[in-house]
Amino acid sequence: MERKVYPGSPYPQGATYDGKGTNFALFARHAEGVELCLFDSDQSDANEERIPIKERTHDIWHIYLPDVKPGQKYGYRVHGPYKPDEGHRFNPNKLLMDPYAKAIAGVIKWHESIFGYNIKDDEKDLSFNEQDSAPYVPKSVVIDDSFDWGNDRKPNVMYHQTIIYEAHVKGFTYTHPDIPDNIRGSYAAIGHPTTVQYLKDLGITSIELLPIHHFVNDWHLQDIGLSNYWGYNTIGFFAPDVKYSSSGVNGEQVTEFKQMVKNLHEAGIEVILDVVYNHTAEGNELGPTLSFRGIDNSSYYRLTEDGRYYVDYTGTGNTLNANLPNVLQLIMDSLRYWILEMRVDGFRFDLASTLAREFHDVNKLSAFFDIIHQDPIISQVKLIAEPWDIGEGGYQVGNFPAGWVEWNGKYRDCIRDYWRGEESKLGEFASRFTGSSDLYRDDYRTPTASVNFITAHDGFTLNDLVSYNEKHNEANGEDNNDGERHNRSWNCGEEGPTDNLEVLALRSKQKRNFLTTLFLSQGIPMLLGGDELGRTQQGNNNGYCQDNEISWYNWKEADQDLLAFTKKLINLRKSHPTFCRRKWFMGQKIKGAGVEDIVWFLPEGNIMPDEAWDNDAAKSLAVYLDGRGIRSVDPKGNKIYDDHFYVIFNAHHEPIDYKLPNEKYGSKWTKVLNTDDAQVEDENGYQPGDVIKVAGRSVVLFHAPLQG
């Protein structure tokens, strides 16, 4: 029977099922012809039906097929010039994934045919490959986007109340003994009651998932028995990666993801996605032809002047050209889709400086930011920037516009240096602890512009930060040449695993010091998933290719004492607005109180003089936080007050005697936390002027109730 074919519509792009049939729309400005390819399965021997698309509107090729239903596998073949020197790499022998595909069935099977050129030819990418790649390329899938969201409501956690937990879908859940075997490592496992309850008990408000957009496992990694575990190699910006689906590949992965979000929302937990819009998995001129390159290479990528080579600000071989209207539309359509259809609560943008580059320079007023700021949907969710890329001038911490928050790499570096005993000015430590006003205040931003973190997926875990001086990435197959060499770590006396009880005790204390500093600092704290359990990667600081025990959580050997301490810290932060202020400290006297909202002290109990801030050798200081100086109101407009706190930081290796401040700062103090001994609860009261011996390398927190 002859298939019915209708003209269809250029919008929306992608494959859209309307209950009766499916509309297909594909942007390809420089193409000379487009064929829609339908497959009867996702297997390599699937039968293929090719249908020429004759309608073209505003550079978008479109067609409507009345009998095509959800579950249909499809792809495209695009005709046009193959002139790499001019930026064109059309090759109709290559099956191409739809950039707007909502689901992708299967994964790439690496083969010479998926390259547009002959990889063994001396002319490399200037040659032309005529092999059919269809048996080796994943198929796009038409989906039914219906889902019963019930009474789902987004948690809408305010920035100042946000506590982020960075996690990997598989690594977080794959070895958990209380999660059913058949769903471990999947979206369903993240949404399982065991996982949800763990996150609630821990106290986090928002889980930030490493990339879940459909991504590609690199050929060179597969050849040596490794894989792209982190997922920063996107090929499908609308499709949840099928590798994390426990329910199927024909659109079931979409439903499973939605159910995960629904379950987390029901528990009041936000879902933030780590997204990679700066590049794709197609690499440089020697990479495969999977989608964008074959659809319209020069309309998607930043190319050099001669057109053959790719501008690379990402270290991956290519850079998407976010200055082009069709690329901007793709990114914005993708973001809106994940917000409206998948109901996620925010995004962390990988190498966000790349998206801000107009031509070469980073421009925070680029079209990318302009569009986001005026968009009524995207502008209302959490927008988190990784404010750097590898290009010249790419380190932009503190330079993103209002409405964005940033991973604060300067916070990470300063706090690491402080606790490993580096000689650094106390002034920077104080600035980082109070929200990094030097970075954000002049642009009328608030302390919540700073996402504070000690560790992240890229680098040492917290356990390894205090256990290794050097990286140990031998398992990555690059002779330990990959990964950051300058980690600002300290092994506490011995490299790696040890039976030395003194070293182990110091490492435990250092972990508590880092966590305490993180959760008492102003700004948004981000905890690397597993750090609360003492997770180790055996010194590997670049586990991007380790889909194994190096990266997975070891639930059986979890450090329960550290977990309990972390829960206590998070609960302390959530219970006291003093530690999560919406506004900057003023350092001015509070009306009627005669004291400032924040005061810094020397060990002798004297207020810190200006010259003390420049003492490179000083490693100890104390800070008074007045609960009357929060200067904010609650949702009902009532002024917020809190108790007073006094925090002593001693990064010196020896004990220091600290004198508590005089009575105008507090008439009675209680010690609520001491990182030197996490198990001790001290109910004794302390008086103004009492001298406290603070152990070397430790934090002590005192509390005084608000009076009057």
Side-chain angles (χ1 to χ4, degrees):
M1 181 183 297
E2 186 175 349
R3 182 181 291 279
K4 293 180 180 180
V5 176
Y6 300 155
S9 170
Y11 299 104
Q13 291 190 58
T16 306
Y17 176 66
D18 63 6
K20 296 179 180 179
T22 302
N23 188 81
F24 295 87
L26 179 75
F27 173 92
R29 172 174 295 160
H30 298 101
E32 297 172 352
V34 176
E35 293 176 295
L36 173 65
C37 307
L38 304 181
F39 297 85
D40 59 5
S41 77
D42 58 358
Q43 302 302 310
S44 58
D45 59 352
N47 293 317
E48 177 182 357
E49 177 185 359
R50 301 187 186 183
I51 306 170
I53 300 179
K54 300 179 181 179
E55 298 292 330
R56 179 177 183 175
T57 306
H58 307 311
D59 298 323
I60 296 176
W61 303 71
H62 50 93
I63 189 172
Y64 181 90
L65 302 181
D67 299 321
V68 169
K69 301 177 180 178
Q72 174 67 58
K73 317 301 185 300
Y74 73 99
Y76 292 103
R77 296 180 188 273
V78 181
H79 299 257
Y82 187 82
K83 298 179 178 179
D85 282 335
E86 298 178 15
H88 300 307
R89 296 177 180 269
F90 295 100
N91 187 335
N93 300 295
K94 310 307 162 189
L95 183 72
L96 305 172
M97 287 178 272
D98 182 358
Y100 277 75
K102 306 301 191 303
I104 296 172
V107 297
I108 285 177
K109 300 171 184 174
W110 285 99
H111 186 267
E112 293 181 3
S113 65
I114 67 175
F115 294 84
Y117 66 97
N118 298 313
I119 61 176
K120 296 178 182 177
D121 195 297
D122 290 340
E123 291 193 339
K124 294 296 182 182
D125 61 304
L126 297 180
S127 63
F128 187 79
N129 185 292
E130 298 182 352
Q131 293 176 280
D132 182 9
S133 68
Y136 307 98
V137 175
K139 312 303 186 287
S140 303
V141 184
V142 177
I143 70 163
D144 180 354
D145 61 8
S146 62
F147 180 77
D148 182 9
W149 284 100
N151 296 320
D152 176 73
R153 292 186 179 181
K154 292 189 175 185
N156 290 323
V157 181
M158 299 291 288
Y159 271 124
H160 70 284
Q161 296 173 325
T162 299
I163 299 172
I164 297 173
Y165 187 83
E166 190 196 30
H168 187 281
V169 171
K170 183 174 183 180
F172 186 16
T173 63
Y174 194 65
T175 64
H176 200 296
D178 297 330
I179 294 177
D181 291 349
N182 63 315
I183 67 167
R184 290 182 183 179
S186 70
Y187 305 120
I190 295 290
H192 188 269
T194 296
T195 309
V196 175
Q197 191 61 49
Y198 176 81
L199 296 172
K200 283 190 68 175
D201 291 344
L202 183 58
I204 67 101
T205 68
S206 314
I207 183 169
E208 182 179 301
L209 297 175
L210 266 67
I212 56 85
H213 287 173
H214 195 93
F215 64 91
V216 173
N217 278 327
D218 310 66
W219 196 357
H220 77 277
L221 291 175
Q222 286 192 193
D223 273 353
I224 59 175
L226 301 173
S227 64
N228 191 315
Y229 171 69
W230 286 349
Y232 291 91
N233 206 27
T234 306
I235 199 62
F237 294 110
F238 293 77
D241 195 281
V242 71
K243 292 184 286 296
Y244 302 140
S245 173
S246 64
S247 52
V249 303
N250 298 319
E252 294 91 348
Q253 61 267 51
V254 178
T255 301
E256 185 174 330
F257 183 92
K258 290 179 177 179
Q259 188 62 53
M260 174 197 75
V261 173
K262 183 179 178 181
N263 293 352
L264 288 164
H265 280 183
E266 188 176 0
I269 298 171
E270 294 181 318
V271 178
I272 298 172
L273 300 184
D274 193 335
V275 290
V276 190
Y277 293 111
N278 53 74
H279 73 279
T280 78
E282 291 184 305
N284 62 16
E285 71 278 2
L286 301 179
T289 298
L290 305 172
S291 181
F292 307 92
R293 173 173 283 138
I295 292 170
D296 198 343
N297 185 62
S298 65
S299 290
Y300 280 104
Y301 293 113
R302 286 180 180 262
L303 303 177
T304 57
E305 220 172 285
D306 62 8
R308 178 180 178 184
Y309 301 105
Y310 295 79
V311 175
D312 182 12
Y313 292 122
T314 66
T316 63
N318 66 55
T319 303
L320 274 175
N321 194 344
N323 292 320
L324 297 177
N326 65 291
V327 177
L328 276 170
Q329 182 180 3
L330 171 80
I331 296 173
M332 301 307 157
D333 285 349
S334 171
L335 292 171
R336 279 189 290 268
Y337 174 77
W338 287 98
I339 297 167
L340 295 175
E341 293 295 328
M342 308 298 259
R343 300 208 178 182
V344 303
D345 305 281
F347 306 94
R348 178 264 187 188
F349 291 80
D350 178 65
L351 301 182
S353 294
T354 301
L355 300 170
R357 289 183 181 271
E358 286 282 8
F359 296 99
H360 172 72
D361 294 333
V362 176
N363 179 1
K364 67 180 180 181
L365 298 179
S366 72
F368 174 76
F369 293 116
D370 290 343
I371 291 176
I372 281 184
H373 286 167
Q374 61 80 39
D375 190 285
I377 295 169
I378 303 173
S379 63
Q380 299 307 301
V381 301
K382 286 185 168 66
L383 302 171
I384 305 171
E386 181 186 35
W388 50 77
D389 64 21
I390 68 166
E392 182 181 351
Y395 192 77
Q396 292 291 317
V397 174
N399 291 330
F400 275 67
W404 286 77
V405 302
E406 305 174 19
W407 273 26
N408 190 343
K410 292 187 177 181
Y411 177 94
R412 171 200 59 203
D413 295 346
C414 173
I415 305 305
R416 286 188 179 192
D417 278 348
Y418 178 75
W419 283 115
R420 71 189 179 118
E422 283 292 293
E423 290 193 355
S424 57
K425 293 177 177 160
L426 292 178
E428 185 181 4
F429 177 85
S431 177
R432 302 293 162 248
F433 178 74
T434 54
S436 296
S437 61
D438 59 322
L439 299 177
Y440 306 112
R441 190 168 188 166
D442 288 346
D443 289 333
Y444 302 101
R445 299 163 79 185
T446 68
T448 56
S450 177
V451 175
N452 301 327
F453 65 106
I454 307 297
T455 54
H457 66 276
D458 187 3
F460 281 144
T461 65
L462 181 62
N463 180 83
D464 293 356
L465 185 68
V466 300
S467 303
Y468 295 90
N469 285 348
E470 307 295 336
K471 61 186 174 70
H472 296 269
N473 298 356
E474 291 79 10
N476 294 357
E478 299 184 40
D479 297 324
N480 201 32
N481 289 318
D482 62 307
E484 176 62 55
R485 292 189 180 278
H486 185 44
N487 293 285
R488 293 181 162 88
S489 62
W490 178 47
N491 64 19
C492 297
E494 295 187 16
E495 187 76 355
T498 179
D499 295 324
N500 187 316
L501 296 180
E502 288 187 9
V503 171
L504 292 173
L506 179 54
R507 289 177 179 177
S508 293
K509 183 162 61 169
Q510 286 286 75
K511 283 184 273 188
R512 293 192 292 269
N513 289 335
F514 279 120
L515 291 171
T516 300
T517 307
L518 175 66
F519 286 110
L520 299 188
S521 294
Q522 302 300 319
I524 301 172
M526 184 184 79
L527 178 67
L528 172 62
D531 276 356
E532 77 280 10
L533 304 170
R535 185 173 73 90
T536 178
Q537 292 182 169
Q538 291 104 57
N540 192 318
N541 74 349
N542 190 30
Y544 80 102
C545 57
Q546 298 296 333
D547 187 2
N548 50 48
E549 290 85 355
I550 289 177
S551 299
W552 305 336
Y553 290 26
N554 186 341
W555 290 97
K556 292 182 179 179
E557 296 184 10
D559 186 337
Q560 296 299 328
D561 289 338
L562 185 60
L563 175 60
F565 183 81
T566 307
K567 288 180 179 179
K568 177 180 177 180
L569 274 173
I570 294 176
N571 181 65
L572 180 69
R573 179 184 179 89
K574 294 173 74 173
S575 301
H576 291 284
T578 288
F579 301 114
C580 41
R581 301 179 184 225
R582 296 167 57 192
K583 299 181 179 180
W584 298 106
F585 288 105
M586 301 297 292
Q588 298 173 351
K589 286 184 170 58
I590 301 165
K591 186 176 181 180
V595 296
E596 295 84 357
D597 55 359
I598 183 169
V599 187
W600 299 91
F601 286 91
L602 294 171
E604 298 81 10
N606 301 322
I607 294 176
M608 181 91 70
D610 289 344
E611 60 270 18
W613 291 114
D614 295 323
N615 185 350
D616 290 347
K619 296 180 175 64
S620 184
L621 75 168
V623 59
Y624 166 80
L625 306 173
D626 195 299
R628 294 164 294 187
I630 295 176
R631 295 187 176 86
S632 294
V633 295
D634 65 18
K636 295 183 179 180
N638 299 313
K639 185 169 174 55
I640 297 174
Y641 295 98
D642 195 10
D643 296 334
H644 311 314
F645 289 90
Y646 192 72
V647 195
I648 302 173
F649 296 97
N650 181 21
H652 190 55
H653 65 278
E654 293 181 343
I656 292 180
D657 287 337
Y658 254 88
K659 186 177 182 180
L660 293 177
N662 65 47
E663 59 275 2
K664 78 173 182 178
Y665 297 100
S667 59
K668 184 178 181 180
W669 295 95
T670 302
K671 188 189 299 182
V672 295
L673 184 146
N674 182 5
T675 61
D676 187 52
D677 189 349
Q679 304 301 319
V680 174
E681 293 290 342
D682 188 351
E683 299 297 334
N684 296 323
Y686 294 85
Q687 303 300 316
D690 282 356
V691 176
I692 311 297
K693 185 174 289 295
V694 179
R697 298 192 176 97
S698 67
V699 184
V700 181
L701 175 65
F702 291 91
H703 163 266
L706 180 64
Q707 296 176 341

